[in-house]
Amino acid sequence: MIIIGAGLGGLSLAHGLRRAGIPCRVYERDESAGARKQGYRLHISGVGDTALREVLPPELHELFRATAGRALPHTNVYDHRLRLLTRLEGEGTHLNINRFTLRQILLHGQEVAYGKQFTHYETGADGVTAHFADGTAARGDLLVGADGINSGVRRQYLPHAQVVDAGLVHLYGRIPLTPETRALFEPEMFAVFSMMIGPDRTMAGFAPVDYPEPVAGACARLVPDLRLRDDRPYMTCSVGARWEIAGHSEAELAAMAPEDLQKVALRLVDGWHPVARAMVEHWDVPATFPQPIRTSIPIGPWEPSHVTLVGDAIHAMSPAAGAGANTALRDGAALASALAGAPPLEAVAAYETAMVDYGFAAVRESAENGRRYLGQNPLTTAG
């Protein structure tokens, strides 16, 4: 089994296959696990927690729970003067975790080949061969594209599956939580998510990552041979806007130093409630980076084969529903479960039938939330 990409979906699948006794190998284009900035806090719902429980060894799942903060189960929507417009109540599991903490947990015990840039694949009667930019190749009975929003596997396999600009860009930052910065936030703001919305739908969003117990102690108690890198609480904080409001192109933002990105964010919240400016002023500036928001266009079913896709490689979505990570984890668990009980082609057919339904439903929900609150472009239909 060949898995292209060591993100959440690919690693969820790898753990599920390992638990089922199915050999696999993960190939990752980055040179190391922490080579790229990919965001900070993740909201894990019951969907994601159930998937993790299904695929992880019990001690790793317990470590995940021990390093995930218990957020208040609601989302606050404020105007730019910090007047509460609505509070969206949620039920079930609501866990806020550091993205890299979760990825380190998922990487534990996995065999990952780094620096492997996928170029193309070739299929035969008995399997598939993946080729890499360094001239090497890998052969297996199934190739799984878990290589993210710019998936090379998707481009070759489903060239009609489009990923489009959502019309938005977010500037991601984080605020170290100290006694001084905690005082910026009211108790009800330590929730799943909070956002301030400006008249032009510019958004300042924030959510806490608070560790329930010392991270080193949790590792020592549950997985003594794992050392998690991050252990300081923080408030993730992003400022998002439509491109025309942001006033810079993708290339211009990508070329900016972190302190200049902070200045752009400060301009976007100029004249808002003082809390908005204070949040951005307290950013851990070197950790700031821009992220264009893109979305998949839902497509209909396709003929199952020795190639399939999980996570953002097939159903990338805006963050407006908090569903991307949870859906990717679900994909990995669902595909692993199917493969444990049926031959590859039958398993892929069963997985894809379900995934096309729930995956693109999440894309549509995210797009609608983004349109309503953030001015995201309406979701078009596949051409």
Side-chain angles (χ1 to χ4, degrees), residues 4-5 25-31 112-119 131-137:
I4 307 296
R25 184 81 185 275
V26 181
Y27 297 85
E28 168 58 46
R29 66 179 177 267
D30 290 345
E31 296 297 329
V112 177
Y114 289 101
K116 291 291 187 178
Q117 176 66 52
F118 170 83
T119 59
H131 295 270
F132 303 97
D134 61 5
T136 60

Side-chain angles (χ1 to χ4, degrees), residues 28-69:
E28 168 58 46
R29 66 179 177 267
D30 290 345
E31 296 297 329
S32 67
R36 282 183 298 129
K37 294 176 180 177
Q38 295 179 289
Y40 297 116
R41 158 266 188 197
L42 290 175
H43 168 241
I44 302 299
S45 68
V47 169
D49 185 41
T50 297
L52 289 168
R53 189 184 299 276
E54 290 175 0
V55 301
L56 289 178
E59 65 276 10
L60 282 180
H61 181 258
E62 192 173 346
L63 182 61
F64 153 70
R65 299 277 304 197
T67 53

Side-chain angles (χ1 to χ4, degrees), residues 49-326:
D49 185 41
T50 297
L52 289 168
R53 189 184 299 276
E54 290 175 0
V55 301
L56 289 178
E59 65 276 10
L60 282 180
H61 181 258
E62 192 173 346
L63 182 61
F64 153 70
R65 299 277 304 197
T67 53
R70 273 60 175 173
L72 296 175
H74 58 251
T75 294
N76 301 303
V77 182
Y78 302 94
D79 69 10
H80 66 300
R81 302 295 188 191
L82 207 58
R83 294 175 295 210
L84 185 67
L85 300 176
T86 188
R87 177 165 289 151
L88 308 173
E89 301 290 346
E91 298 180 354
T93 300
H94 294 284
L95 303 170
N96 282 1
I97 190 166
N98 183 322
R99 174 189 285 270
F100 193 64
T101 295
L102 177 56
R103 194 165 180 222
Q104 288 175 95
I105 291 170
L106 285 166
L107 282 165
H108 188 65
Q110 293 300 323
E111 183 180 0
V112 177
Y114 289 101
K116 291 291 187 178
Q117 176 66 52
F118 170 83
T119 59
H120 66 286
Y121 66 82
E122 297 174 319
T123 57
D126 58 346
V128 59
T129 301
H131 295 270
F132 303 97
D134 61 5
T136 60
R139 183 163 181 79
D141 57 357
L142 182 66
L143 172 68
V144 182
D147 47 343
I149 197 166
N150 297 311
S151 171
V153 179
R154 182 192 67 244
R155 281 196 299 271
Q156 180 177 351
Y157 184 50
L158 299 175
H160 63 289
Q162 301 175 57
V163 175
V164 298
D165 177 28
L168 306 171
V169 62
H170 283 192
L171 304 177
Y172 278 97
R174 66 182 178 198
I175 305 163
L177 281 174
T178 64
E180 178 189 4
T181 57
R182 283 183 186 274
L184 293 172
F185 305 98
E186 297 297 327
E188 63 269 18
M189 294 176 175
F190 287 82
V192 168
F193 192 66
S194 298
M195 55 183 166
M196 299 172 65
I197 305 294
D200 56 7
R201 296 195 184 178
T202 295
M203 182 272 296
F206 49 100
V209 174
D210 255 334
Y211 298 97
E213 63 177 285
V215 171
C219 289
R221 176 169 60 86
L222 296 167
V223 189
D225 59 335
L226 176 58
R227 299 287 184 272
L228 295 175
R229 188 185 70 182
D230 299 315
D231 61 359
R232 300 293 177 89
Y234 62 90
M235 188 75 77
T236 189
C237 179
S238 62
V239 174
R242 288 196 56 84
W243 283 106
E244 59 268 25
I245 303 298
H248 296 278
S249 69
E250 181 175 346
E252 289 170 340
L253 290 175
M256 284 186 185
E259 55 269 24
D260 293 322
L261 293 171
Q262 183 188 37
K263 291 175 183 175
V264 174
L266 286 169
R267 174 179 59 79
L268 290 172
V269 299
D270 187 43
W272 290 26
H273 190 281
V275 163
R277 183 174 187 87
M279 286 194 300
V280 178
E281 287 177 336
H282 282 91
W283 276 3
D284 175 10
V285 175
T288 306
F289 67 97
Q291 183 64 60
I293 305 301
R294 299 186 173 94
T295 182
S296 296
I297 302 299
I299 59 173
W302 54 91
E303 189 69 24
S305 75
H306 290 282
V307 180
T308 192
L309 300 155
V310 301
D312 283 353
I314 181 58
H315 46 59
M317 61 195 77
S318 84
N326 292 287

